[in-house]
Amino acid sequence: MNEVKAALDGTKRDLANLKETVTTVKCASDRTSNELAVLNCTMTKLNKANLSNLRMSCQNETWNAGHDECKHESRSATNFSGKSSKETPPAAKSCKELYNRNGSDGNKEYPLKLGKRIHPVYCHMTALNGCGGGGWTLVMKMDCSKNTFHYNQLIWSNKLKYNPFSGKTGFDRRETMLPTYWETEFTRICLGMKNGKEINFIAINITASSLFSLIADGKYHPTSLGRDKWKSLLRSNASLQSNCTREGFNAFCAGGAFKSRARIGIIASQENHRHSCDSRIGFGTGGHRGHSNACGIMALGKSAEDDGHKNIKTMGFILVQ
């Protein structure tokens, strides 16, 4: 209260020069009644800058100019029926949660609570062919003509945002990694590859506390989609060797550090062992051959690819639900 009084004293000199103007305002006490009770309300015209100083001294309360004091103001609004309206619900933690609350309000950015902060995140609210259901939360977009998301990059094991402003938009060529990589739990993953104007999606049913928890430790976590499902990401442009496939998270060939590997994807060999894997389809890839291809398809083995040699760098999209 002493701080408030001091702030008031400091403004008296300026307030003394202000003239009080009275405005008659028609106020409705009940909009639903047949006869509106019209009240004469008076409003004192105060200097906004000085009033702002007084309000700041109240911190989380409201300045009561009539009594030179601060008063607590309820957060809930009161409607004309005299009933308090509901407070704004807390921010959702995922696009699926938003979808379950309100349905679809378009494919666009929404505010999500990730950890202790609110972040704008692109939500795909309509169904995606190959993944289904609305409410998909964007995790990352990778341009595989670049090296940003190569298998060997530390971006996979760090909790650091990358180009978050590009996480507000959909399936374009703007790379991003969002806090949804380590903050968002899910039961399904949607993977997309864009080659030219064609974009295809597939879904993985898997439950995890985050995508980070499946990838950052470098351990292999298997999936069971099958060769044909992975190849559907590139349809007629897909090709894989026929033997000894391995698919999932941190899939790698046993032949050494330079053999084919994928943070998410499938690798294959022309032999009956995983010591000479020369083909792969996936996200965050690397290794022999086509080491610079970080996302897409690489099938450059000596033989046994089912649709010939391929080396295609795509755009990659990862969303969760």
Side-chain angles (χ1 to χ4, degrees):
M1 182 61 70
N2 291 335
E3 294 179 358
V4 175
K5 291 291 186 181
L8 179 62
D9 292 340
T11 62
K12 283 184 177 180
R13 186 179 299 104
D14 295 329
L15 293 174
N17 295 324
L18 294 176
K19 293 182 179 181
E20 184 178 276
T21 60
V22 178
T23 304
T24 299
V25 181
K26 292 184 177 181
C27 301
S29 62
D30 186 353
R31 287 187 175 179
T32 62
S33 63
N34 293 328
E35 296 182 357
L36 296 176
V38 180
L39 305 176
N40 288 326
C41 304
T42 61
M43 178 179 66
T44 303
K45 186 177 181 181
L46 298 175
N47 182 286
K48 291 183 179 180
N50 290 328
L51 184 57
S52 176
N53 290 334
L54 296 176
R55 286 173 175 163
M56 288 177 63
S57 67
C58 291
Q59 296 181 349
N60 294 327
E61 296 182 309
T62 302
W63 174 250
N64 186 343
H67 294 86
D68 291 352
E69 64 181 10
C70 295
K71 67 176 181 179
H72 179 73
E73 184 178 68
S74 174
R75 290 185 178 180
S76 60
T78 302
N79 58 28
F80 286 102
S81 65
K83 297 180 180 180
S84 295
S85 61
K86 294 182 179 179
E87 293 186 2
T88 303
K93 296 180 180 180
S94 71
C95 301
K96 181 64 174 177
E97 183 180 343
L98 275 176
Y99 183 84
N100 289 340
R101 283 184 190 175
N102 307 317
S104 175
D105 191 29
N107 302 321
K108 60 182 182 180
E109 67 170 279
Y110 293 83
L112 297 183
K113 186 175 183 181
L114 305 175
K116 296 181 179 180
R117 302 184 64 182
I118 303 296
H119 297 266
V121 176
Y122 175 77
C123 292
H124 198 89
M125 293 302 200
T126 56
L128 287 168
N129 291 333
C131 292
W136 289 101
T137 303
L138 180 66
V139 176
M140 64 183 73
K141 298 185 290 187
M142 56 186 76
D143 181 351
C144 297
S145 64
K146 302 177 181 179
N147 199 40
T148 312
F149 290 93
H150 190 276
Y151 185 97
N152 294 339
Q153 294 291 356
L154 292 177
I155 196 169
W156 295 102
S157 55
N158 290 333
K159 293 182 178 181
L160 297 173
K161 294 181 292 184
Y162 175 73
N163 200 17
F165 291 104
S166 294
K168 300 178 182 181
T169 57
F171 306 119
D172 51 32
R173 298 195 64 86
R174 300 164 60 186
E175 287 192 311
T176 188
M177 175 182 276
L178 298 173
T180 49
Y181 178 56
W182 59 88
E183 293 286 0
T184 304
E185 60 184 27
F186 56 84
T187 58
R188 303 184 74 216
I189 301 174
C190 184
L191 304 173
M193 282 189 181
K194 186 176 183 180
N195 182 30
K197 295 182 179 180
E198 182 183 51
I199 182 169
N200 300 301
F201 295 93
I202 61 173
I204 301 175
N205 295 324
I206 187 169
T207 299
S209 60
S210 67
L211 193 56
F212 178 89
S213 70
L214 290 175
I215 294 177
D217 61 5
K219 296 179 180 179
Y220 172 58
H221 301 278
T223 58
S224 56
L225 296 183
R227 291 166 48 87
D228 290 342
K229 182 65 71 173
W230 288 103
K231 289 176 65 177
S232 70
L233 284 168
L234 287 155
R235 297 190 182 275
S236 61
N237 288 308
S239 184
L240 276 175
Q241 292 168 306
S242 302
N243 297 326
C244 210
T245 57
R246 195 179 206 191
E247 63 168 279
F249 302 88
N250 297 318
F252 57 89
C253 190
F258 295 102
K259 292 297 182 180
S260 279
R261 53 195 59 222
R263 291 296 182 179
I264 308 174
I266 185 171
I267 60 175
S269 170
Q270 77 271 19
E271 308 291 346
N272 290 322
H273 55 74
R274 284 191 294 270
H275 292 278
S276 58
C277 308
D278 294 318
S279 59
R280 61 180 181 263
I281 298 173
F283 304 78
T285 58
H288 182 78
R289 304 179 183 194
H291 185 61
S292 65
N293 189 333
C295 172
I297 181 172
M298 193 289 301
L300 296 175
K302 296 179 181 179
S303 62
E305 294 93 344
D306 53 11
D307 197 25
H309 289 190
K310 304 284 184 180
N311 187 9
I312 301 173
K313 299 177 181 180
T314 68
M315 277 298 299
F317 308 100
I318 302 178
L319 306 94
V320 297
Q321 186 182 88

